[in-house]
Amino acid sequence: MIHLHRLSVRLPGFSLKSVDLSIEQGEFFCLLGPTGAGKTLILESVAGIVSIVDGRIIVSGRDVTGLPPEWRGVGIVYQDCALFPHLNVEKNIHYGLRYHNGSNREGRTRCRDLIDRLGLASLLNRSVMTLSGGEKQRVALARALATAPTVLLLDEPLASLDPCFREDIRDLFRSLHRETGLTVLMVTHDFTDAHSLAQRVAILNDGHIEQTGTVDEVFRRPSTAFVADFVGMKNVLPVRVKNGTLSIGALVLAMPGENGTHRFAAIRPEHIYLHHAPSGVVSGDGFAGRITAISNQGLLAELAVEASGVTFKTVMLASSLMEMGLRQGAAVDLHIDPADVHLI
Amino acid sequence: MQPGRDPLVWLAVASSTVIVAFILVPLVEMMTQPTMASLKETLMDRDVIRSIRLSMVTSGAAALIALVFGTPLAYLLARHRFPGKKILESIIDLPIMIPHPVVGIALLSIAGRNHPLGRLMQALGLEIMGTVTGLIAVLTFVGLPFYINTAKAGFEEIPPRLEHVSRSLGASAGGTFFRVTLPLAWRHMVVGGIMCMARAVSEFGAVIIVAYHPMVAPVMIYERFTAYGLKYSQPVAVWLILVCLVLFLLMRMISLDRKATA
């Protein structure tokens, strides 16, 4: 397990601000956030690579705050793998053994098992410079696991891989985690990684954690406007909620039972429905709108629709767009189901 | 546009030719002027051999001192940010910029009885004026920036993540240096050593202030030139250049990255 208690790190032009985070034993935890949010900095703080200015770091019940990296029992795999270029595959994998009773049978057996498990037997004498991206990741993983760390840190390990390798390595992470029961903290900005691997996630923004929870919680019920936007709710709009009605600018939506201090409404683009309304007449619960922009993204088309001064973003199949004859400037009947509106 | 028709390419070729000629013509002229007999005669001259050997030994010692004391400093500069780093880097570059007789005068000014360091050196039996120790001190002074800057560039080329991973795998800072950093940076360190030594071999201005005797090769060439003229100084210069050429070529070959040249 990993516990970060009020972790603060200060770098020129950036700081981590009193981060609290708890990752349970055997959990696969993903740290998500935009570039420059401080994800890797948290990872390197746990590994002891960067100096912290305040806070405590507990790894597997041990306070490792003041310990050097080599005493923390933490393995790390970077996006670029950071394989030692002057050593071949076998020497890379065996690198840490001498510091962990590697000469004993247990260490050697563990290495052999990892080499077999990760399909590296035929690569042992190869220079690491000649490996493919997927092979490099497997070697980096074997090297990190060879020392039997209590915690494994993964820094965007899939980001630089070709899509065909990415799925293989994702499967590998999943099965290795299941087999070893290791606590894993992975940094990523890819939602697919979080969906397919993580039990819980935390969203990081500008050096602080915005929200922590299960993948479903964070993606369906974001707690801040930033998280809503980050997880793809492209319509994050300021609102007023009063006596069961929701006002988005001049638009009013009935939301029975709602009467609170919510400041934003977050709506996924796929939850905004359009019907062609060339005459400008809309159905009872719809809003009259006009398409202001269409951007084609292959199978899908992204549309901006303006209704009573409010701009909504929506997506639809490019084929549906053609069938409905919708073009820029077309009048539409815009529908929002109140059940799809998430209030923040 | 094809490269052959690009006027910029022709301009580059022309200016390169002028530069190469500017370097090579005087050297080739000097190398080819002495007769075989005069070269042979010079090679038999014990004073010449002694001065070339002294140049090599003192310059090699300077490079070795730079390697031992300069490596930690080069690593510190490559890996860490700290207040005053730019000032420290400028201080390291100072020996390149200041006139070399000034270096000699500066070293002598701390070696005298009036300076606490001078008194300490005398107590330890270290003499600077007119000694091999003085020669090595002055050559180290002028050669250090060349070693430190080259070694620092070598350390900077190594991604810090390699060292981070090594530490996470259980290696200490020292273990990481010797198992990861050194095997990846040694070529730069050797090249830095060569540059430091090359600079030391060619030093004249600081040497004549601190130690005219024992006579290193550049001082001997100068003395032969002033006492006997061009004809007598040229063969010594040729032998010094040849010895340096062979030595530096050997060291370059050792430090050559075979993979990079394959």
Side-chain angles (χ1 to χ4, degrees), chain A residues 32-34 191 202-205 210-212 215-238 263-271 313 340-344:
Chain A
L32 287 146
F191 298 138
I203 308 290
L204 198 67
N205 176 33
E210 294 261 347
Q211 187 176 357
T212 307
V215 180
D216 208 44
E217 274 169 6
V218 171
F219 279 78
R220 285 181 187 275
R221 293 188 293 282
S223 62
T224 67
F226 172 82
V227 176
D229 183 52
F230 184 73
V231 299
M233 291 186 160
K234 295 196 172 180
N235 300 287
V236 183
L237 305 159
R263 291 171 52 225
F264 292 97
I267 312 163
R268 289 198 167 276
E270 61 269 29
H271 289 153
K313 284 179 185 163
D340 293 331
V341 178
H342 175 69
L343 293 174
I344 298 167

Side-chain angles (χ1 to χ4, degrees), chain A residues 2-7 19-22 42 46 56-57:
Chain A
I2 305 169
H3 289 301
L4 306 182
H5 180 66
R6 304 183 72 77
L7 177 73
V19 170
D20 284 303
L21 190 66
S22 252
I42 290 186
V46 175
R56 286 171 64 211
I57 302 167

Side-chain angles (χ1 to χ4, degrees), chain A residues 70 86 95 99-100 143, chain B residues 162 164-167 169 179:
Chain A
E70 59 268 29
H86 58 299
Y95 183 89
Y99 307 109
H100 296 82
R143 182 180 63 179
Chain B
L162 297 184
H164 298 164
V165 168
S166 168
R167 298 290 301 272
L169 292 170
R179 288 189 72 194

Side-chain angles (χ1 to χ4, degrees), chain A residues 49 68-70 74 76 78 80 82-86 95-96 98-100 143 147 155, chain B residues 81 161-173 175-176 179-180 183-184 259:
Chain A
I49 292 160
E70 59 268 29
V74 169
I76 189 162
Y78 281 110
D80 59 4
L83 296 175
F84 304 128
H86 58 299
Y95 183 89
R98 73 154 72 169
Y99 307 109
H100 296 82
R143 182 180 63 179
T147 57
D155 184 16
Chain B
R81 274 188 294 200
R161 283 184 170 184
L162 297 184
E163 294 171 349
H164 298 164
V165 168
S166 168
R167 298 290 301 272
S168 78
L169 292 170
S172 63
T176 296
R179 288 189 72 194
V180 175
L184 293 173
K259 281 176 204 155

Side-chain angles (χ1 to χ4, degrees), chain A residues 34-87:
Chain A
T35 304
K39 305 185 294 290
T40 300
L41 204 54
I42 290 186
L43 218 64
E44 293 189 332
S45 303
V46 175
I49 292 160
V50 294
S51 307
I52 67 170
V53 291
D54 199 14
R56 286 171 64 211
I57 302 167
I58 314 289
V59 173
S60 300
R62 205 161 52 109
D63 189 339
V64 299
T65 313
L67 296 182
E70 59 268 29
W71 291 355
R72 295 192 178 206
V74 169
I76 189 162
V77 175
Y78 281 110
Q79 177 185 339
D80 59 4
C81 303
L83 296 175
F84 304 128
H86 58 299
L87 303 178

Side-chain angles (χ1 to χ4, degrees), chain A residues 92-112:
Chain A
N92 262 279
I93 296 170
H94 288 168
Y95 183 89
L97 284 188
R98 73 154 72 169
Y99 307 109
H100 296 82
N101 299 321
S103 52
N104 68 21
R105 194 176 293 168
E106 192 191 337
R108 294 274 158 195
T109 308
R110 188 171 51 245
C111 261
R112 226 177 5 256

